[in-house]
Amino acid sequence: MLDKAVEYIMQKIGDFKPEIGIILGSGLGDLADEFCEIIIDYKDIPGFESSTISGHKGKLVFGKINGKNVVMMQGRFHFYEGHSIQKVVFPVKVMKKLGVETLIITNAAGGINPAFSPSDLMVITDHINYMGVNPLIGANDDSMGTRFPDMSKVYTPELVEMVKRIGLEIGVELKEGVYIALTGPSYETPAEVRMARTIGADAVGMSTVPEAIVASWAGMQVIGLSCICNSAAGVSFTVLSHDDVIKAANNAKDKFKKLVKEVIKKL
Ligand code: HPA
């Protein structure tokens, strides 16, 4: 299936060779609208599925940003949609096969760290896989990565530093911290958020970690960016809603786009 997907995409993109991949999280998809040269619907790609979530479009978009060839995912597959964990990470393997060397993974997240506010951007320095599943379970594809991959530098430390430096240079304030992934789709309870804080998490979400594990395994450089869309349950006492998450992502999207474009320029 992987070969079929790659073959189908290569037929559509011809000699366009993407070197950077971006997974655009909830509410952050419009970066792709600005730079689309070739668009492929997920439903047409072997092994992809249509996206079922509002704020996620379900398109693979190819375009040039600041001179670099980029492939952007407008929408991702979440484990909570009922997809297998292999399906969730399938596009990352496809991007690797297409030649992508650096993957920028973005998401909407809840802020656990009390210093975070809605619409803050956070550079992910590390993660906690609390999904109860690992996307590398099963036969190992030795051509992509090793059986027991090291995970001590999933989020490429030099790139974390670079993103922070760029944030300072262009006046986009950035937080940094550890992202914890739970499966969702229910948001966390206040007790779960207290646990997450106790074990070292700064932000919580329902994605990113499976994709980051596979990208790191496959030898890609990874940058993780969270848009903090709400205070996680119990951190503040508002009721969480997906609509509010999308609104906060919308408020952050101009600075998010400014940052990502500048990061791409420097990669
Ligand atoms: N929890 C989990 N996922 C999220 C949240 C949250 O509070 N906000 C946005 N995505």
Side-chain angles (χ1 to χ4, degrees):
M1 198 51 103
L2 186 56
D3 290 341
K4 276 197 186 141
V6 172
E7 199 180 307
Y8 178 83
I9 293 167
M10 283 174 71
Q11 225 179 349
K12 296 272 172 196
I13 63 176
D15 57 7
F16 186 100
K17 297 254 177 308
E19 48 185 312
I20 298 167
I22 313 180
I23 303 176
L24 295 163
S26 295
L28 302 171
D30 20 319
L31 183 72
D33 295 331
E34 223 178 292
F35 295 98
C36 53
E37 287 166 32
I38 307 161
I39 303 174
I40 308 177
D41 276 334
Y42 287 173
K43 65 174 170 33
D44 297 329
I45 306 173
F48 275 56
E49 307 274 341
S50 305
S51 191
T52 64
I53 318 296
S54 76
H56 285 267
K57 284 188 179 158
K59 290 181 189 335
L60 198 59
V61 176
F62 296 81
K64 234 182 185 35
I65 303 181
N66 280 331
K68 307 274 167 61
N69 285 347
V70 181
V71 53
M72 288 163 276
M73 289 181 67
Q74 261 186 332
R76 56 150 60 85
F77 307 127
H78 299 88
F79 193 53
Y80 64 71
E81 290 174 88
H83 300 305
S84 69
I85 199 71
Q86 278 74 30
K87 183 74 76 181
V88 170
V89 298
F90 184 74
V92 177
K93 295 180 183 173
V94 169
M95 286 194 261
K96 171 72 187 179
K97 293 260 184 198
L98 290 172
V100 168
E101 286 163 6
T102 306
L103 183 62
I104 304 175
I105 311 179
T106 72
N107 60 56
I112 294 177
N113 188 323
F116 293 1
S117 313
S119 301
D120 275 350
L121 298 179
M122 180 188 94
V123 191
I124 303 177
T125 53
D126 202 352
H127 74 222
I128 298 172
N129 181 9
Y130 216 81
M131 287 185 135
V133 63
N134 189 301
L136 299 177
I137 288 173
N140 189 60
D141 180 350
D142 295 331
S143 72
M144 277 208 155
T146 66
R147 172 77 289 188
F148 301 108
D150 176 61
M151 290 283 136
S152 53
K153 292 180 180 171
V154 174
Y155 303 88
T156 315
E158 296 76 23
L159 297 186
V160 169
E161 289 311 311
M162 186 187 90
V163 171
K164 284 162 55 179
R165 211 167 45 239
I166 290 171
L168 281 175
E169 278 166 20
I170 64 173
V172 170
E173 195 205 330
L174 287 175
K175 309 285 200 227
E176 64 178 281
V178 173
Y179 176 92
I180 187 169
L182 281 71
T183 65
S186 50
Y187 290 117
E188 303 68 39
T189 63
E192 287 164 346
V193 171
R194 278 197 302 279
M195 173 202 70
R197 188 172 167 190
T198 305
I199 64 176
D202 297 288
V204 56
M206 307 173 190
S207 68
T208 300
V209 164
E211 294 111 309
I213 290 173
V214 167
S216 177
W217 164 74
M220 294 157 106
Q221 304 195 100
V222 178
I223 294 172
L225 291 174
S226 290
C227 173
I228 305 298
C229 288
N230 54 276
S231 295
V235 176
S236 88
F237 292 94
T238 49
V239 173
L240 302 187
S241 82
H242 183 60
D243 287 348
D244 290 343
V245 166
I246 299 291
K247 270 185 213 145
N250 269 323
N251 287 338
K253 85 183 165 200
D254 287 343
K255 63 179 175 180
F256 167 80
K257 286 196 278 192
K258 187 171 164 192
L259 178 72
V260 170
K261 285 185 223 173
E262 202 59 31
V263 167
I264 288 172
K265 195 195 268 180
K266 300 269 164 64
L267 277 173

